[in-house]
Each structure stands twice: as structure tokens, then as C-alpha cells.
Amino acid sequence: MTYSLAIHGGAGTILKSLMTPEREAAFHAGLARALMAGEEVLRDGGLALDAVVASVSVLEDDPLFNAGRGAVFTSNGEQEMDAAVMEGQTRKAGAVAGVCGPRNPVQLARAIMQRTEHVMLIGPNALDIARAEGLALEDKHYFFTQTRWDALQETLKLRAEGKEPDDPARRHGTVGAVARDVRGTLAAATSTGGMTAKAPGRVGDTPVIGAGTFADNDTCAVSCTGHGEVFIRWNAAAEIAARMRYAHETLQQAADHIVHTVLAPNDGSGGLVAIDRDGNVTMPFNSPGMYRGVVSSQAKAETFIF
Amino acid sequence: MTYSLAIHGGAGTILKSLMTPEREAAFHAGLARALMAGEEVLRDGGLALDAVVASVSVLEDDPLFNAGRGAVFTSNGEQEMDAAVMEGQTRKAGAVAGVCGPRNPVQLARAIMQRTEHVMLIGPNALDIARAEGLALEDKHYFFTQTRWDALQETLKLRAEGKEPDDPARRHGTVGAVARDVRGTLAAATSTGGMTAKAPGRVGDTPVIGAGTFADNDTCAVSCTGHGEVFIRWNAAAEIAARMRYAHETLQQAADHIVHTVLAPNDGSGGLVAIDRDGNVTMPFNSPGMYRGVVSSQAKAETFIF
């Protein structure tokens, strides 16, 4: 009757030299709150699915992280959010792409999984489901943060001058969680605002089941953060499961291989959190840092950045 | 210096008893034209990517098939098309979801792959890329077909009466192609109008790389057609590649396993066409029929329905 939970708040160019003690403490506190919300579900015997949605909802509500409130802006100054959930026993999944409105896009992804016959929805009809489900909807002011707006202006300025850095790690960020509940069921959830100054309509790996989000009780649950296009092309999350299933690798072997040997050399900066059916957790990344945390019925919560 | 090409025009409830000789002949002729267009590219030493796009474009132009002209209607009487391409040497991919406008959505998917840094685009920005690329755009009248409109009305009538058949095979259809060119490079392309009376904004497996479309020179290229939600949840196309890569199965073993042992018992009616790096082709399906065809440098074109 054990449980485990791991979360991430994005990976990328997190330079220790640019991090103030106050800012670092705020990130740790945000991660700790997200762990606490998910653990509360698991400790009470709740579902892994509900735990990962609880954790991700807290990260979405926190403007420090690029999802929900605090989502980055597209090149035309809009916010377009993607989210997905997957449950490992049934392999049911829900995903939404390109929405702005639901306070917690991850909860809309869960509603799509639970209330429709579909896996992935885009556009206004997805918002209709949020309304029918009674999910909180917010206006643009809620999602706006000055920091993200300034980041867009800076990126657009550099782009206009032809000086936009190639490093995609500069521009990404995603939040996610994986959990194993006391029944042994796995789940994964991921949510993102995408990349600063992304093309409107661009969809990354987050809502692509098998790429940014995946769960299967026989192998593992995975939530990714990174250069989404590369994670899609290399089928990142499901490939970890495949290596466990067919090559009989451990979770850590499989996840390390994908992050360091497959993604890193193919411009796939980023990382992921993953959990196997025994509750083992791994959180590999190939970028300078990844906001992350882990808690289990055996060990108290810990959060990390570098 | 050999090449191979396989195509499909959708799988589902194709009942021999309801098929007239004229209609059957028209399907065979449509498939043969698509094979011819792709083979012309391959025979001239062209790229697998361009061959699959050529074949799929012919199927999109043919109102008999559910893609491009002849796409089915959503529950609110609109047409929303999805398409994807993937190239096996670079594992570059392009996908578009929920568009109505480009005459050949598959060509827009290729443009997204070749002209942007992104893999997947949705909405109006995707159409901007079609315009920038000079792709042909059409209005609603071009895409309208009476048969699809009547199918929508019938489905909505049955739905209102609570008599809509559960069988998802009644409602799907997709076109696709896989090829190996004389260089040994693989590619896959898929295009669809989705399911009759689908929820607006619903995205199936077609544009989900790893689910409905996948290509990797080390293993295989795959294009699927069927109950998309199930193909997404089981990561259908990439799982065939994973079984070849890690469990050392042949293409046929891996594809048969996914179609008959994984998808069929999980409500995943449909089928796929797949090709390996030696040019072997397999076209398994678990539905009563699948429009399909194959041609290679060694064998003349053949088309099949049942």
C-alpha cells in the first residue's frame, strides 16, 4: 500500500548565476505546494490520476511556471495552452491544445478523457466541455504576467535584429506530474503554455500522447518537458515504456537512454519525470536545470532545481 | 535500387453485399491512380516523402475517399481535416489538425515539416503557411459531397433517436501511404476528414506522430486508419517500430500483433499499411475490409478491398 509522486516545473536554461536566493526559494516553495496537493490525494487512497491533476493544477495556478496562469505568449501576444492526462490501467487519455480560458487546462484534459469518447480536442468545442463540466474559466487578465510579456518583447526584439538565440532551451517550460497510487495504478499529466514567441497554433509534445505524456501500468508513466518537436519525433515518453517492455530495461536505464542518448544529440534539450509500477522514480534532464520534486509514502518531499 | 509503395483508402464496415460492381470498380480505379502517382515519383528516383504525398494527394482529390474533397462532416456540418507526414532518415515530421481550406492537407503537412521549425500546427496560422507556400486553397463548395452530407444527416437522426450504432467502424475513414525509395529511405503520409458527426475540434490519430503516422529508417514506416482514439492510446504506429527494434520481430509479425492482438480487443477497429527498410510491405486490418494497394519495382500494382 505504497504511493509515489514526482513533479516537474520545466527544464531549460536555469542559470545558477542568475538565480537570486529569493527566487530560488519561491520555486522550491511552489514545487513543495504542488507535491503536497498530489500527496494529499494519494495518502487518502485516491487515484493516481487525481493526484497528478491536483499537483499540476497547483503549478498551473502559480505564475512562476509556464502553464495556466503565467503561460508564455505566442508571437502575436496571445496565450495558447496545451495539456494532457493519461491513466495507466485503462490507458485512457485526454488532451487539449490551443486553448485560453480554463483556469486549469489539465482539468479540461481530464474532463475530455472522462466525459467524451475522444482523446484530443482543439478549439472552441473544447471550451464548451469546460463549461459543461463547470470548470473555472478566466479572462486574459488572469493569465497575464509582466515577466512573460517582457520575455516576449525581448524575444521579438532579438528576432527582429536576427539575434534570437538558437538555443531552444531558452524558450521552453512545461509542468507535469507522474504518480503511482496505493492500488498500483500509474498516471501522468502535463500542461504548458508552450514556447515564448511560438507561432500561433503551434502544438508541442505536451498533448501528444506517447510524446510528452504517457502512462501504462505494465511499464511506466512519463511527463516530459523540453524541445517539444524533438520529443514528438522521437516518441519520447512511449519509447521509454517500449524499452522497458521489450528490451527489459529498468525505468532508469530506459529514461536515461532517451534523455541523454536519443534526445540530447538530436537538439532535444529538456527532461522528464517518470515512475514505474513499483513506484521507482527517475527525473533525468540534459539541460542545466529542471524544477522537480518527489515524495512517497516512504520518504518526505524533496525539491530540486539544479 | 528497388522501391515499394503501399496505400490505403480507409478501413471500416465495407460490406460486400452493399457494394455494387460499379462502385467497387471506382474504388479500385481510385486506388490505382494513387499508386500510379506515387510510383512515378519513385521510378524517377524521387524521394519516398514526395511519393507518399503524391499518392495521398490523389486520394484527397477523389471524393470517394474521406480526406480532402469528400471529407466527412462534423456534428455541426463543418469539415475539419487532419494530415501528417514523416520521413524516416531524419525523423522529421509535419502535421496539421482541424483545417478546412487547403485542397491537399497532406501538402500543408509537408510544408510545415519543411518550412517551419515546428511539427504540429492547428488553426488559422496553419492556413497562413499554406498561403505562403502557394498551396491551392478551396472553398466549402469544393469539399462538399452529397454522400457525406447525407451520411451526416442519417447519423444525426439516429443519434437523436438514441439509435446511433456503437460500431465506430461505421464512421471512420482515412487515406495514407508508405514508401521506400531507391535510396532506402522510408516515409509515411496520412490524411483524413475524421469521423462523420464527430465533435468539432476532435483530433484523431492521423496527425499524432507515433499513433497514426510514423517513419524511421531503422525499422518501418506506418500509416493507420481506424478508430483513432484507440490508435492514440496504444501508440499504434510507433509500437510496431518498437517491436521490431527491441523485440526483433519482423514487420509483419509486429504489425499483425498490433492490429489483431492489441487494437482489435480494445475496440480499435481498423488497419494500416507498413513498409520496412528492405521494402517488405504488410497491410493488416481487423475490419471487414480496407481499401488498399501495393506496387514495387519488382511487382505491378495491385489493389484490394476485402
Side-chain angles (χ1 to χ4, degrees), chain B residues 15-263:
Chain B
L15 293 179
K16 194 145 201 167
S17 54
L18 295 177
M19 183 71 89
T20 63
E22 292 74 22
R23 196 168 161 77
E24 196 166 332
F27 275 108
H28 280 291
L31 291 167
R33 278 193 300 273
L35 281 176
M36 209 177 300
E39 192 190 7
E40 198 174 301
V41 174
L42 295 171
R43 197 194 300 113
D44 292 347
L47 299 173
L49 178 71
D50 293 330
V52 294
V53 169
S55 286
V56 168
S57 295
V58 169
L59 295 167
E60 286 176 334
D61 292 345
D62 189 334
L64 280 178
F65 301 99
N66 174 19
R69 192 175 181 206
V72 298
F73 290 90
T74 64
S75 61
N76 64 352
E78 303 284 331
Q79 287 165 302
E80 297 180 349
M81 302 168 209
D82 308 332
V85 297
M86 188 164 182
E87 199 270 352
Q89 188 177 359
T90 58
R91 285 184 72 146
K92 283 191 177 176
V96 64
V99 292
C100 188
R103 186 191 299 168
N104 294 108
V106 72
Q107 294 178 21
L108 176 52
R110 179 175 58 184
I112 289 167
M113 168 184 146
Q114 293 178 330
R115 309 294 175 211
T116 80
E117 59 176 346
H118 301 308
V119 168
M120 188 173 190
L121 286 176
I122 59 178
N125 189 52
L127 296 182
D128 288 346
I129 287 162
R131 283 182 206 101
E133 191 69 4
L135 298 180
L137 292 168
E138 302 288 353
D139 65 14
K140 289 184 174 191
H141 299 98
Y142 171 82
F143 294 108
F144 180 92
T145 55
Q146 193 63 44
T147 324
R148 301 300 189 193
W149 185 256
D150 294 345
L152 172 65
Q153 303 313 318
E154 189 207 341
T155 302
L156 292 178
K157 184 167 168 282
L158 292 170
R159 187 176 290 179
E161 294 166 356
K163 294 181 192 162
E164 189 178 7
D166 278 341
D167 181 10
R170 251 191 98 251
R171 294 192 284 141
H172 60 234
T174 300
V175 308
V178 293
R180 176 197 188 275
D181 64 30
V182 294
R183 289 164 208 79
T185 282
L186 306 182
T190 316
S191 180
T192 190
M195 307 194 302
T196 295
K198 70 180 176 184
R202 176 262 187 182
V203 178
D205 62 319
T206 295
V208 176
I209 299 300
T213 308
F214 189 73
D216 170 27
N217 273 12
D218 288 342
T219 51
C220 60
V222 183
S223 171
C224 299
T225 172
H227 186 181
E229 280 74 10
V230 180
F231 283 61
I232 292 174
R233 291 162 51 204
W234 266 266
N235 203 236
E239 195 75 4
I240 293 171
R243 294 184 76 91
M244 294 175 68
R245 188 190 315 275
Y246 301 121
H248 309 293
E249 292 187 348
T250 65
L251 176 73
Q252 197 189 326
Q253 287 170 336
D256 279 348
H257 183 87
I258 294 299
V259 168
H260 298 294
T261 310
V262 174
L263 296 171

Side-chain angles (χ1 to χ4, degrees), chain A residues 148-218:
Chain A
R148 302 300 189 193
W149 186 256
D150 294 345
L152 172 65
Q153 303 312 319
E154 190 207 339
T155 302
L156 292 178
K157 183 168 168 282
L158 291 170
R159 187 176 290 179
E161 294 166 356
K163 293 181 192 160
E164 188 178 8
D166 279 340
D167 181 9
R170 251 192 98 252
R171 294 192 285 140
H172 61 234
T174 300
V175 308
V178 293
R180 176 195 187 276
D181 63 30
V182 293
R183 291 163 207 79
T185 283
L186 307 181
T190 316
S191 181
T192 190
M195 306 193 303
T196 294
K198 70 181 177 184
R202 177 261 187 183
V203 178
D205 62 319
T206 294
V208 176
I209 300 299
T213 307
F214 189 73
D216 170 27
N217 273 11
D218 288 343

